[in-house]
Amino acid sequence: MAHVKMQTARSTLMDPVAAAEDLLRQLHGPPPKLVTLFASRQRDQRALNRAVRERLPKDTRLVGATTGGELDNNGIHSNSVVLGALSGDFEVGLGLGSGLTGDAIAAGAQAIKRACEELGVRQQDLDARRYVGLVIDDGFRYKKEELLLGILEKNQTLVLVGGGASDSEPDPARQSALIHVDGEVAGDGVLVALFKTSAPWAALRSHWYVPTGERLTITKVDETHTRALEIDGQPAAKRYAEILGVTPDELEFGKPKGFAVRPTALKVGREYFIRAAWRPLDDGSILFANLLEEGSELDLMKAGDLAGMTRDFFAEELPRRVQNPQAALLFHCSGRMWYANATGVVPQLSEALKLAPSAAGMNVQFEIYSGFHINTTLTVLAFGSN
């Protein structure tokens, strides 16, 4: 029988050594093969990494990131550290790619190459049934689509899931993120943790939107391919506001009648990958979080029951997709938190996490799922036993 299990621990202690001792004291059972460390950005990350690393078995690998909030089965937290200790029938190879800002494609290629080398496998030989990649990037570099090109360059079948290291700082000028890879703590980079296992696993995602049957077409973009200048042949913000029946000032994500309520999605087969517009700009264009292509059609979605759909995801879909689920690594979009706070459903959303298998995760700066950069979504890497 193959299985992957996870124990979790959480600490609110600020002193790095005291927090590390508190976290490790909560663990029992076999030595973990991999530990995930999701820590609030306000902490001394290097001191925390060193304290945890010194207290782990020598052969245990360590990955992690700064967060915009920490998740476990007891809810969604702030200013804490959540640790996940994975054990069982798997091998893991780690790779860190640096220099996202300068060359994100090369950084992604470097990360997957190193992870494959640790497992002794060529990238082109990765069997998508037995290998899965966990990806954490410096979310504030906004380079997900480019780094994914690098990771998948030699094997487009590899399944990837993850999200961006983040920060709870609301001022964009002061936001920063760091990634943990064993004893190294770095920014402007991307981590790939490549799992090899015969245990049941799945990459999953959950959002709270339903299709409306309406579509819009991106008819003109700027040279960066991040700003829609025209939608349906009209000024972008004006057209989107017209569709929603609001003014352009009401569109910004997080406002009660704007992009968060009626986002756009890319339809792939039967699935809808949320790629929501972000904010209207003074020149009448709309800034998106992801890259845009002229002529692309996007589906318009509408908001459903955020807490209820998350509860159903953990209670029904995840057990249906993963045999005897034992562990779940959660990458929860900060946009979901904005919406949950704005609509007063954070307690119900936290309550839904009790239905998950043993869980550890973080609020992230945008998400990765099956090679796509998406947003306003919960992405999950889940393991079970057979």
Side-chain angles (χ1 to χ4, degrees):
M1 182 178 74
H3 72 276
V4 177
K5 295 183 177 181
M6 183 169 66
Q7 297 183 67
T8 66
R10 185 170 68 92
S11 180
T12 58
L13 299 178
M14 288 302 297
D15 178 76
V17 172
E21 291 185 350
D22 185 23
L23 291 166
L24 273 296
R25 192 182 302 118
Q26 298 174 50
L27 300 182
H28 307 282
K33 290 184 177 180
L34 176 71
V35 162
T36 62
L37 188 69
F38 301 121
S40 61
R41 183 67 183 93
Q42 293 85 348
R43 295 168 179 272
D44 184 335
Q45 301 294 316
R46 289 176 174 82
L48 178 63
N49 179 288
R50 184 167 54 251
V52 172
R53 178 71 270 176
E54 289 173 350
R55 287 160 178 79
L56 290 174
K58 182 180 178 181
D59 294 336
T60 298
R61 310 303 300 273
L62 174 64
V63 299
T66 58
T67 79
E70 304 78 50
L71 281 68
D72 62 14
N73 294 101
N74 292 316
I76 304 171
H77 316 283
S78 59
N79 299 322
S80 68
V81 185
V82 167
L83 181 149
L86 291 133
S87 60
D89 302 299
F90 70 92
E91 300 173 52
V92 66
L94 305 182
L96 176 64
S98 58
L100 272 185
T101 302
D103 191 340
I105 294 176
Q110 181 185 47
I112 187 64
K113 181 175 184 290
R114 290 177 174 176
C116 286
E117 287 173 348
E118 289 200 354
L119 291 178
V121 61
R122 299 191 311 164
Q123 296 171 53
Q124 53 266 44
D125 293 336
L126 294 173
D127 182 345
R129 295 167 298 182
R130 299 192 63 195
Y131 291 88
V132 59
L134 175 68
V135 181
I136 301 176
D137 67 301
D138 181 339
F140 297 113
R141 306 294 170 163
Y142 304 104
K143 293 290 186 178
K144 281 185 176 59
E145 283 163 313
E146 295 98 318
L147 70 86
L148 287 171
L149 289 174
I151 294 174
L152 295 171
E153 181 180 11
K154 295 184 179 180
N155 191 328
Q156 288 76 44
T157 66
L158 179 64
V159 176
L160 302 173
V161 65
S166 190
D167 189 349
S168 57
E169 168 59 55
D171 182 358
R174 300 173 60 186
Q175 292 170 333
S176 64
L178 293 170
I179 300 167
H180 295 247
V181 184
D182 281 334
E184 188 171 358
V185 178
D188 197 22
V190 54
L191 154 73
V192 173
L194 185 62
F195 290 86
K196 177 185 179 183
T197 183
S198 56
W201 63 268
L204 306 104
R205 56 145 187 86
S206 174
H207 59 71
W208 74 102
Y209 296 107
V210 294
T212 64
E214 298 178 76
R215 284 187 161 190
L216 56 79
T217 302
I218 307 295
T219 47
K220 188 175 181 180
V221 301
D222 75 332
E223 65 278 0
T224 70
H225 288 262
T226 60
R227 287 168 48 229
L229 303 180
E230 292 183 1
I231 291 174
D232 297 335
Q234 301 179 39
K238 175 179 176 294
R239 174 57 178 153
Y240 209 124
E242 179 183 80
I243 294 171
L244 270 58
V246 300
T247 66
D249 290 342
E250 296 176 277
L251 287 175
E252 184 161 357
F253 195 97
K255 291 189 175 181
K257 298 179 181 179
F259 297 136
V261 179
R262 295 288 304 281
T264 48
L266 178 67
K267 188 177 182 182
V268 181
R270 297 180 181 179
E271 296 196 66
Y272 293 89
F273 294 168
I274 305 300
R275 291 159 70 87
W278 192 353
R279 65 169 68 102
L281 301 180
D282 292 339
D283 63 1
S285 65
I286 297 175
L287 178 66
F288 279 69
N290 51 273
L291 297 179
L292 299 169
E293 184 177 352
E294 287 187 0
S296 58
E297 287 190 330
L298 298 175
D299 281 76
L300 273 168
M301 311 291 281
K302 65 179 180 180
D305 179 356
L306 172 56
M309 294 173 81
T310 304
R311 187 168 55 248
D312 293 344
F313 168 76
F314 284 123
E316 299 173 13
E317 182 176 353
L318 194 153
R320 186 169 62 247
R321 296 276 303 278
V322 182
Q323 185 179 353
N324 301 317
Q326 307 286 314
L329 294 170
L330 311 179
F331 301 91
H332 186 248
C333 183
S334 294
R336 288 171 60 95
M337 282 305 300
W338 296 338
Y339 189 86
N341 277 307
T343 54
V345 298
V346 174
Q348 296 95 314
L349 188 59
S350 292
E351 189 72 14
L353 295 177
K354 292 181 179 179
L355 299 174
S358 183
M362 61 174 180
N363 289 334
V364 297
Q365 185 72 3
F366 305 114
E367 305 82 64
I368 287 168
Y369 177 77
S370 292
F372 287 90
H373 168 198
I374 56 177
N375 52 31
T376 63
T377 301
L378 167 67
T379 62
V380 178
L381 178 57
F383 295 98
S385 64
N386 57 23

